[in-house]
């Protein structure tokens, strides 16, 4: 279906872009004048989408004006929103694509052209939720669980040849390079530009190696287990316009969305408009850091957008977060990100938009911004929006963005006032403004015994002294005052050194918790470089190590030229995996151990991990501190934690000049520049190649090329759903609900988790019986999530939650009573009997029916069970919309009434008629078999909802449009 009749009401706002007459745009600022100028940038994006899609039906002029009047209408009105594109992951993507495939069948049966059936907007589907870990550590310890797929048909696992070990490669068995000890320093400046999600270069001499055996084996099992679904996805990508499938092994949905799919500005038929996205992943908000409006929603909302309908949201409050000041010395990106996140959580921004402005915003890199936006679920905001600015443009340039497009983008964003500039004299007006002074965020470490005990770097010396004085406990060591200045001499490598309380004996840079923000690892490398250049060294008795979280970290440390300097200070790569943080450090030297024992010294370990409990690193190291990677290097150089970095030097250079930490600490600008040049460009280039080239298994996977999908009647994963079985070319007159039985009598706060199939398939369930009858064993059942493309499984799993409390049963159980026979049965089995008998069904419920997460099968499942209406005291609005969208009538008791107050037992038979002219909120008369009659409210809120219900739901409405 084509997109909505774009902007007919506001065609007069269309203009050509300055200097480029072939590109057009809606000049929305002309619509509102000063009203527009005070709108938050995020609301301006909503307004542009409303203007562009205003067709008088799905998007009305009234909706546009409500958004323009955001200042007075916020939180009081609902507005539709047409996002520019949709992102799906495979679990939620498969039911949507199955519905489109079934719709083609329905359109053909009505005499239409099935080739016309396509999603209304660009849809990207990432296959990233199918991977299971069957193999680890390159060793097959147990046979993989086929999980119900056709693994046997895929053939045996291909043998993977492993090269013999060549020491001293520390167990990197597939390395083909020569392994003399000088190889690392000679080759550290040259590196392949390709980056994989797993190590593909030997970190010890930087030679290309094959993909790890574990990855290949897991991928092969994944393709075998999910072959049916993957073939269906591949057919979908060829059969439908606007559908692109990101194959398995490419990356996670939100990362691919950020690094590959994001446009920032869309261009469609020479019309420019802001990029925006909704998707079935809570981390969709990452793209807010690029100036793209987007957030996560449920599968049914996403499918509705694919079918040409908008998502509906209450016009949100927008909290302006003003960043001011400059970051303190020694503060890293992670400190800033966590500081801002903590502040937002404390302020309370749940259910609101957050928008950043102020002079401090330009100090945040795109990595910082996307990390903050990605943490929206942590502080409850719908999204956290960073308008496009010069930092964004520089980032896009570094990612290889086409320069001509970049110029057009900048012109367009400035023309519609969507480009943020620090020089702007006026800022938008916000619902609320909170201020965060970056100067208030201080660098800190955690310790000496627990990760929750944070210590500001400026207080480190005094805090350690206090720990020596305190009684033994969470922080104290209770060292006598006269012994706190004791020192013990040691001889090591021909030199004499002195150990004292606070001496650092272990320093470990571990990046397992820092991969999402490479700036801290680069900062450690740059600090090491400056330290070496000034002549500073780490004392040789300190056990130093560098354990990257992945080969990607090794790649950017090497390509940026800092790896040799880390090695010079003793931070050499020891391998990939948890080492120091789990106590797997090498033993300390005998000299150090004897000195610690002799002086009963409180020596220290400093590491960039996430656990530091007493004795964890080594039983002779009593104080352990968690610190950022650059601070680990700094404390290693200082040789003690008993130091004030602001007033005491780290050491001296060759001329005897004192060198302070501030002298060698890299600026944020230095780190960001290296990050953009050596991390971002390579990552984006590699991902682009990976997406566009695919992989051998995906490229060789056979898939149909037909217009209609060739359904396999034997398949237990992919099945043509029955939503369109009774579809006619024109909608029939609304039929009354006559002599309906109650399938379930439920209480308050029934959630979508109670309704929708989720998790594993219980062996005693109706779904299990269905799969068993088709020859599957329990080991092959897989999960409901994996079988969302099979409506027979999902319908049987509806209301199968063991915690469902049905008042007919009197205890939690997925059971109900089939009243004509009096049998107590599984919900599905009772519904099946009712359908065979031609008896319609309703559900009785209390308050907040359908609360919780948005789940498409919480509406689809009851529909396929034969439920015609739900009668509840109140609804979660999103779920009520879903019921209408599938063709179930949402009925409400009158205020103050419920089943108990009306004396209903649920065992009655109910009848209800609809008038020819159904209107929003109309009151209807419900009759029962006992003679009792009462009024109910038809909970339709607008003409669009009534139209969808008359058509039997959204799917039927769209199918008729195509016919």
């Amino acid at each position: 279906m084509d997109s909505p009749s774009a902007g007919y009401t506001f065609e007069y706002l269309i203009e050509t872009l300055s200097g480029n007459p072939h590109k057009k745009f809606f000049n929305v600022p002309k619509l509102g004048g000063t009203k527009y100028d005070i709108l938050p940038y995020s609301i301006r994006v909503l307004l542009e989408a409303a203007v562009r899609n205003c067709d008088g039906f799905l998007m009305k002029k009234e909706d546009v004006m409500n958004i323009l009047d955001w200042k007075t209408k916020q939180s009081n009105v609902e507005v539709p929103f047409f996002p520019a594109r949709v992102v799906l992951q495979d679990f939620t993507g498969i039911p949507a694509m199955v519905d489109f495939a079934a719709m083609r069948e329905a359109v053909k049966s009505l005499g239409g052209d099935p080739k016309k059936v396509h999603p209304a907007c660009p849809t990207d589907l990432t296959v990233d939720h199918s991977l299971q870990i069957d193999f680890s550590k390159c060793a097959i310890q147990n046979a993989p669980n086929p999980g119900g797929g056709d693994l046997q048909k895929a053939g045996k696992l291909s043998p993977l040849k492993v090269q013999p070990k060549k020491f001293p490669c520390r167990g990197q068995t597939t390395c083909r390079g020569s392994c003399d000890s000088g190889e690392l320093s000679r080759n550290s400046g040259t590196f392949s530009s390709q980056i994989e999600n797993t190590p593909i270069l030997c970190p010890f001499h930087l030679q290309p190696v094959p993909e790890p055996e574990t990855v290949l084996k897991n991928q092969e099992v994944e393709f075998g287990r999910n072959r049916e679904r993957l073939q269906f996805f591949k057919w979908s990508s060829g059969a439908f316009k606007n559908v692109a499938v990101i194959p398995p092994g490419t990356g996670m949905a939100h990362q691919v969305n950020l690094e590959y799919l994001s446009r920032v500005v869309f261009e469609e038929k020479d019309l420019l408009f802001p990029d925006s996205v909704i998707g079935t992943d809570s981390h969709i908000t990452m793209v807010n850091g690029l100036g793209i409006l987007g957030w996560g929603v449920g599968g049914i909302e996403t499918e509705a957008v694919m079918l040409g309908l908008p998502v509906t949201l209450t016009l949100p409050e927008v909290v302006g977060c003003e960043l001011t000041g400059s970051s303190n010395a020694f503060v890293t990106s992670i400190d800033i990100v966590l500081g801002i996140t903590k502040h937002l959580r404390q302020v309370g921004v749940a259910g609101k938009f957050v928008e950043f402005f102020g002079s401090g915003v330009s100090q945040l890199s795109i990595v910082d911004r996307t990390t903050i936006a990605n943490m929206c679920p942590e502080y409850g905001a719908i999204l956290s929006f960073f308008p496009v600015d010069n930092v964004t443009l520089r980032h896009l340039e570094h990612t290889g963005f086409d320069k001509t497009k970049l110029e057009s983008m900048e012109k367009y964003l400035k023309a519609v006032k969507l480009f943020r500039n620090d020089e702007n004299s006026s800022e938008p007006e916000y619902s609320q403004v909170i201020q965060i002074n970056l100067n208030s965020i201080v660098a800190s470490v955690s310790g000496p015994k627990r990760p929750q005990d944070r210590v500001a770097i400026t207080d480190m010396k005094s805090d350690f002294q206090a720990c020596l004085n305190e009684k033994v406990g969470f922080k104290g060591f209770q060292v006598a005052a006269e012994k706190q200045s004791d020192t013990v001499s040691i001889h090591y490598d021909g030199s004499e050194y002195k150990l004292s309380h606070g001496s650092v004996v272990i320093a470990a840079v571990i990046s397992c918790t820092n991969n999402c923000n490479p700036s801290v690892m680069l900062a450690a490398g740059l600090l090491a470089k400056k330290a070496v250049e000034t002549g500073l060294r780490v004392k040789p008795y300190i056990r130093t190590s560098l354990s990257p979280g992945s080969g990607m970290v090794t790649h950017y440390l090497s390509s940026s030229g800092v790896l040799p300097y880390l090695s010079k200070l003793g931070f050499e790569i020891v391998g990939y995996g948890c080492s120091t943080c789990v106590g797997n450090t090498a033993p300390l030297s005998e000299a150090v151990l004897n000195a610690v024992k002799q002086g009963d010294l409180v020596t220290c370990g400093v590491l960039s991990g996430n656990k530091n409990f007493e004795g964890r690193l080594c039983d002779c190291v009593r104080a352990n501190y968690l610190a950022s990677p650059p601070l680990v290097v700094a404390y290693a150089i200082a040789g003690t934690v008993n130091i004030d970095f602001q007033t005491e030097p780290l050491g001296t250079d060759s001329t005897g000049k004192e060198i302070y930490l501030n002298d060698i600490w890299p600026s944020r600008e230095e780190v960001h520049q290296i990050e953009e040049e050596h991390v971002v460009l390579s990552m984006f280039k590699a991902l682009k190649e990976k997406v566009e080239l695919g992989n051998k298994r995906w490229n060789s996977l056979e898939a149909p090329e037909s217009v209609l999908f060739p359904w396999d009647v034997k398949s237990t994963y992919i099945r043509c759903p029955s939503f369109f079985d009774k579809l006619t070319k024109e909608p029939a007159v609304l039929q009354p609900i006559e002599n309906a039985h109650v399938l379930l009598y439920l209480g308050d706060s029934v959630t979508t988790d109670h309704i929708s199939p989720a998790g594993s398939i219980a062996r005693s369930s109706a779904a299990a019986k269905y799969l068993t009858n088709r020859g599957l064993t329990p080991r092959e059942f897989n999960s409901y999530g994996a079988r969302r493309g099979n409506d027979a499984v999902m319908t049987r799993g509806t209301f199968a939650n063991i915690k469902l409390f049905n008042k007919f049963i009197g205890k939690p159980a997925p059971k109900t009573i089939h009243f004509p026979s009096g049998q107590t049965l599984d919900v599905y089995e009772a519904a099946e009997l009712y359908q065979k008998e031609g008896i319609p069904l309703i559900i009785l419920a209390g308050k907040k029916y359908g609360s919780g997460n948005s789940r498409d099968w919480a509406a689809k499942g009851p529909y396929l069970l034969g439920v015609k209406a739900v009668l509840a005291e109140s609804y979660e609005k999103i779920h009520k919309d879903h019921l209408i969208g599938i063709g179930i009538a949402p009925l409400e008791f009158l205020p103050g009434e419920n089943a108990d107050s009306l004396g209903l037992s649920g065992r009655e038979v109910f009848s209800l008629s609809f008038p020819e002219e159904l209107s929003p909120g109309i009151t209807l008369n419900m009759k029962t078999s006992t003679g009792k009659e009462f009024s109910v409210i038809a909970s339709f809120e607008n003409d669009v909802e009534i139209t969808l219900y008359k058509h039997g739901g959204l799917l039927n409405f769209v199918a008729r449009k195509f016919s």
Side-chain angles (χ1 to χ4, degrees):
M1 185 171 68
D2 294 329
S3 59
S5 305
Y8 286 165
T9 308
F10 297 98
E11 278 186 341
Y12 67 92
L13 292 176
I14 296 178
E15 296 184 4
T16 57
L17 190 65
S18 174
N20 196 332
H22 300 295
K23 297 187 186 300
K24 299 178 180 180
F25 68 99
F26 282 87
N27 194 348
V28 184
K30 285 189 175 181
L31 177 66
T34 55
K35 275 189 176 181
Y36 183 89
D37 293 340
I38 66 170
L39 290 178
Y41 288 90
S42 51
I43 300 299
R44 296 178 195 183
V45 178
L46 287 180
L47 180 61
E48 191 283 337
V51 166
R52 178 167 36 87
N53 291 286
C54 187
D55 62 352
F57 178 57
L58 297 176
M59 180 72 74
K60 298 179 179 180
K61 186 175 181 179
E62 178 187 359
D63 297 319
V64 174
M65 302 316 293
N66 280 338
I67 299 173
L68 183 61
D69 291 331
W70 168 83
K71 186 176 179 180
T72 59
K73 297 294 180 67
Q74 58 183 292
S75 301
N76 294 321
V77 297
E78 289 195 342
V79 293
F81 172 55
F82 283 98
R85 57 189 175 93
V86 158
V87 172
L88 301 165
Q89 40 88 345
D90 43 323
F91 270 19
T92 51
I94 196 159
M97 298 316 303
V98 165
D99 288 348
F100 270 91
M103 189 179 292
R104 283 196 165 186
E105 302 274 359
V107 168
K108 183 184 178 184
S109 69
L110 293 178
D113 183 359
K115 291 181 181 179
K116 292 182 179 180
V117 178
H118 302 284
C121 67
T123 300
D124 298 293
L125 193 154
T126 62
V127 186
D128 70 332
H129 278 49
S130 298
L131 180 64
Q132 296 180 28
I133 302 174
D134 295 284
F135 301 104
S136 61
K137 300 182 180 179
C138 299
I140 307 173
Q141 299 186 9
N142 297 292
N145 176 5
D150 292 328
L151 183 60
Q152 295 83 354
K153 298 177 185 177
K156 295 181 179 179
L157 294 174
S158 58
L160 296 165
K161 297 181 179 179
V162 180
Q163 299 291 327
K165 290 185 178 180
K166 297 182 179 181
F167 295 97
C169 274
R170 320 281 178 96
Q172 303 298 310
T173 58
T174 49
C175 172
R176 296 192 180 94
S178 58
C179 296
D180 63 277
S181 58
E183 191 83 1
L184 176 62
S185 59
R186 290 200 299 271
N187 282 353
S188 58
T190 59
F191 216 83
S192 166
S193 63
Q194 185 181 12
I195 299 176
E196 298 288 345
N197 291 330
T198 53
I200 60 162
L201 298 165
C202 173
F204 303 101
H205 45 55
L206 312 179
Q207 295 284 332
V209 299
E211 287 186 89
E213 182 182 8
T214 313
V215 174
L216 294 176
K217 285 183 177 295
N218 278 317
Q219 284 183 357
E220 194 153 3
V221 174
E222 178 184 4
F223 270 78
R225 176 187 287 124
N226 299 293
R227 179 171 296 272
E228 288 180 51
R229 292 193 295 149
L230 294 177
Q231 286 176 326
F232 176 75
F233 285 144
K234 195 165 186 179
W235 170 81
S236 298
S237 65
F240 296 109
K241 295 176 184 177
N242 282 342
V243 173
V245 175
I246 311 300
T250 304
M252 291 182 288
H254 54 280
Q255 204 71 29
V256 173
N257 183 30
L258 176 70
E259 298 174 8
Y260 180 73
L261 303 176
S262 295
R263 281 88 151 171
V264 183
V265 170
F266 248 84
E267 184 173 344
E268 190 175 278
K269 298 179 181 178
D270 295 329
L271 181 69
L272 300 175
F273 53 93
D275 188 4
S276 58
V277 59
I278 62 162
T280 55
D281 188 289
S282 60
H283 299 291
I284 291 292
T285 52
M286 274 187 94
V287 298
N288 300 162
L290 279 176
I292 299 170
L293 198 71
W295 64 92
V297 296
I300 204 161
E301 290 97 333
T302 308
E303 187 172 346
V305 173
M306 293 168 64
L307 290 165
L309 266 68
V311 290
T312 302
L313 71 157
T314 301
L315 194 60
E317 294 181 37
V318 182
V319 177
C321 183
E322 182 179 13
L323 301 182
T324 60
S326 300
S327 58
N328 284 302
F330 319 142
V331 166
T332 66
S333 289
I334 287 182
D335 292 321
I336 291 175
V337 167
L338 294 180
I340 291 173
T341 299
K342 180 182 178 181
H343 195 92
L344 291 172
R345 190 188 299 120
Q346 291 172 339
V347 168
V349 293
K352 302 175 183 178
F353 283 12
V354 174
E355 186 167 298
F356 291 87
F357 70 101
S359 58
V361 173
S362 58
Q363 296 188 44
L364 301 182
S365 70
I366 292 299
V367 176
D368 297 335
R369 298 177 187 191
T370 54
T371 306
I372 292 168
N374 187 40
M375 296 181 79
C376 274
E378 294 292 322
Y379 45 87
I382 297 173
L383 55 84
S384 285
F385 193 70
F386 289 85
V388 176
D389 60 6
N390 288 318
V391 174
T392 316
L393 296 182
R394 285 197 299 272
H395 169 82
L396 294 174
E397 186 177 359
H398 285 137
T399 64
F401 212 88
D402 181 81
K403 289 187 177 180
T404 304
K405 288 185 177 181
L406 207 55
E407 290 172 1
S408 298
M409 176 193 300
E410 184 175 0
K411 281 184 180 179
Y412 165 70
L413 292 171
K414 288 180 176 178
V416 294
K417 299 182 180 180
L418 284 172
F419 189 87
R420 195 192 72 84
N421 197 317
D422 284 336
E423 283 71 47
N424 286 349
S425 57
S426 62
E427 295 287 357
E429 293 187 10
Y430 295 102
S431 312
Q432 173 190 359
V433 173
I434 59 174
Q435 288 187 327
I436 300 177
N437 190 331
L438 296 179
N439 191 255
S440 67
I441 299 173
V442 297
S444 61
V445 298
S446 294
K449 299 181 181 183
R450 302 187 304 174
Q452 63 263 43
D453 296 327
R454 293 173 66 86
V455 184
I457 295 303
T458 51
D459 300 331
M460 184 63 169
K461 185 169 184 174
S462 59
D463 188 82
F464 182 74
Q465 289 290 338
C467 290
L468 294 180
N469 289 318
E470 286 183 23
K471 291 182 179 180
V472 175
F474 290 134
K475 293 195 70 171
F477 297 103
Q478 200 170 354
V479 177
E482 65 273 13
K483 293 186 177 182
Q484 290 180 14
S485 299
D486 288 358
T487 62
V488 179
S489 297
I490 66 168
H491 291 273
Y492 193 88
D493 280 356
S495 299
E496 184 175 325
Y497 303 93
K498 290 185 182 296
L499 291 185
S500 60
H501 295 294
S503 290
V504 174
V505 294
I506 296 175
V509 174
I510 305 164
S511 74
C512 60
T513 55
N514 297 300
N515 280 336
C516 65
N517 200 324
S519 63
V520 289
M521 294 297 289
L522 289 171
L526 288 171
L527 187 141
K529 179 177 183 292
K530 292 185 177 187
V532 170
E533 289 172 346
T534 57
L536 296 176
R537 295 291 184 272
V538 173
K539 295 177 178 64
Y541 62 80
I542 297 176
R543 185 68 67 190
T544 50
S545 61
L546 171 60
S547 179
S550 73
M552 181 185 72
V553 181
T554 303
H555 171 91
Y556 62 68
L557 290 178
S558 178
S559 63
S560 61
V562 300
L563 193 57
Y565 297 98
L566 285 164
S567 299
K568 192 77 172 176
L569 293 181
F571 291 95
E572 295 186 351
I573 295 176
V574 297
Y576 300 91
C578 294
S579 53
T580 307
C581 56
V582 293
N584 292 344
T585 189
L588 299 178
S589 68
E590 286 295 323
V592 171
L593 291 173
N594 291 335
V596 171
K597 185 176 181 180
Q598 177 186 334
D600 193 22
L601 299 177
V602 179
T603 54
C604 302
V606 187
L607 71 155
S608 61
N610 60 3
K611 295 289 187 294
N612 64 329
F613 302 118
E614 188 174 14
R616 188 182 182 93
L617 304 189
C618 176
D619 56 9
C620 61
V621 180
R622 293 156 66 185
N624 299 300
Y625 288 93
L626 303 180
S628 65
L631 282 175
V632 172
V633 176
Y635 278 113
I637 295 170
T640 180
V641 300
N642 196 14
I643 182 175
D644 184 340
F645 283 137
Q646 293 182 313
T647 60
E648 298 178 63
L650 293 172
T652 58
D653 64 12
S654 56
T655 66
K657 177 185 175 183
E658 291 183 337
I659 305 298
Y660 292 82
L661 180 56
N662 200 48
D663 297 327
I664 62 172
W665 190 270
S667 68
R668 287 179 59 78
E669 291 73 23
E670 288 178 90
V671 175
H672 289 169
Q673 182 179 351
I674 297 293
E675 186 176 43
E676 290 286 348
E677 293 176 357
H678 293 278
V679 181
V680 173
L681 178 59
S682 295
M683 288 172 64
F684 278 68
K685 182 180 178 183
L687 181 61
K688 183 178 180 182
E689 290 175 354
K690 211 170 186 182
V691 172
E692 294 178 354
L693 296 178
N695 58 59
K696 289 181 180 179
R697 288 187 177 87
W698 177 259
N699 294 340
S700 62
L701 184 69
E702 294 183 359
E705 297 180 358
S706 53
V707 173
L708 300 177
F709 184 71
W711 307 97
D712 181 357
V713 294
K714 295 180 181 179
S715 173
T716 57
Y717 276 97
I718 307 291
R719 185 175 183 267
C720 186
S722 55
F723 299 124
F724 304 101
D725 284 358
K726 298 178 181 179
L727 183 67
T728 56
K729 200 167 184 69
E730 296 295 333
V733 176
L734 280 179
Q735 298 298 308
I737 300 174
E738 294 182 330
N739 300 319
H741 278 266
V742 176
L743 178 64
L744 294 162
Y745 183 8
L746 307 172
D748 296 339
S749 300
V750 172
T751 70
T752 51
D753 286 338
H754 291 115
I755 307 168
S756 181
S760 59
I761 299 173
R763 294 191 180 195
S764 61
S765 65
K769 295 173 187 175
Y770 168 84
L771 294 172
T772 301
N773 289 339
R774 277 149 186 78
L776 273 64
T777 64
R779 186 167 169 266
E780 298 171 311
F781 286 171
N782 214 321
S783 65
Y784 283 113
R787 296 191 180 274
R788 290 176 77 165
N790 186 326
D791 66 308
V793 172
M794 298 300 284
T795 305
R796 286 165 171 81
T798 302
F799 293 114
N801 190 311
I802 59 172
K803 295 184 178 180
L804 178 74
F805 188 89
N806 179 5
K807 293 184 179 181
F808 292 150
I809 304 301
K811 62 180 181 180
K815 303 283 185 179
T816 195
I817 297 174
H818 175 251
F819 288 110
S821 66
Q823 298 179 80
T824 298
L825 302 169
D826 285 340
V827 174
Y828 172 79
E829 293 172 343
E832 187 179 35
L833 278 181
Y834 280 125
Q835 290 202 46
K836 287 179 180 178
E837 296 160 350
I839 298 174
L841 298 171
I842 67 170
I843 291 172
L844 290 182
K847 301 181 182 72
K848 296 183 179 180
Y849 179 76
S851 56
N853 292 332
S854 169
R855 300 191 187 281
D856 55 341
W857 275 98
K860 290 178 175 178
Y863 174 82
L864 293 179
L865 288 175
V867 173
K868 302 300 182 184
V870 176
L871 176 55
E873 290 182 64
S874 64
Y875 294 88
E876 178 78 21
K877 185 187 183 308
I878 292 176
H879 183 64
K880 188 187 73 173
D881 293 345
H882 294 176
L883 293 175
I884 296 169
I886 201 64
I888 295 175
L891 307 176
E892 286 188 35
F893 290 104
L894 295 180
E897 294 185 353
N898 55 39
D900 286 339
S901 69
L902 292 171
L904 302 176
S905 68
R907 298 172 180 267
E908 302 88 350
V909 174
F910 294 79
S911 297
L912 177 78
S913 296
F914 295 97
E916 288 186 17
E917 293 299 323
L918 195 59
S919 58
I922 191 172
T923 300
L924 305 175
N925 188 51
M926 180 74 80
K927 299 178 180 180
T928 69
S929 55
T930 61
K932 182 182 289 292
E933 296 186 19
F934 57 96
S935 297
V936 296
I937 299 169
S939 191
F940 301 105
E941 296 186 15
N942 51 55
D943 293 337
V944 173
E945 292 185 349
I946 290 173
T947 299
L948 294 181
Y949 180 71
K950 285 181 175 179
H951 276 267
L954 173 61
L955 292 172
N956 289 347
F957 173 77
V958 176
R960 291 189 176 104
K961 288 276 188 181
F962 283 128
S963 301

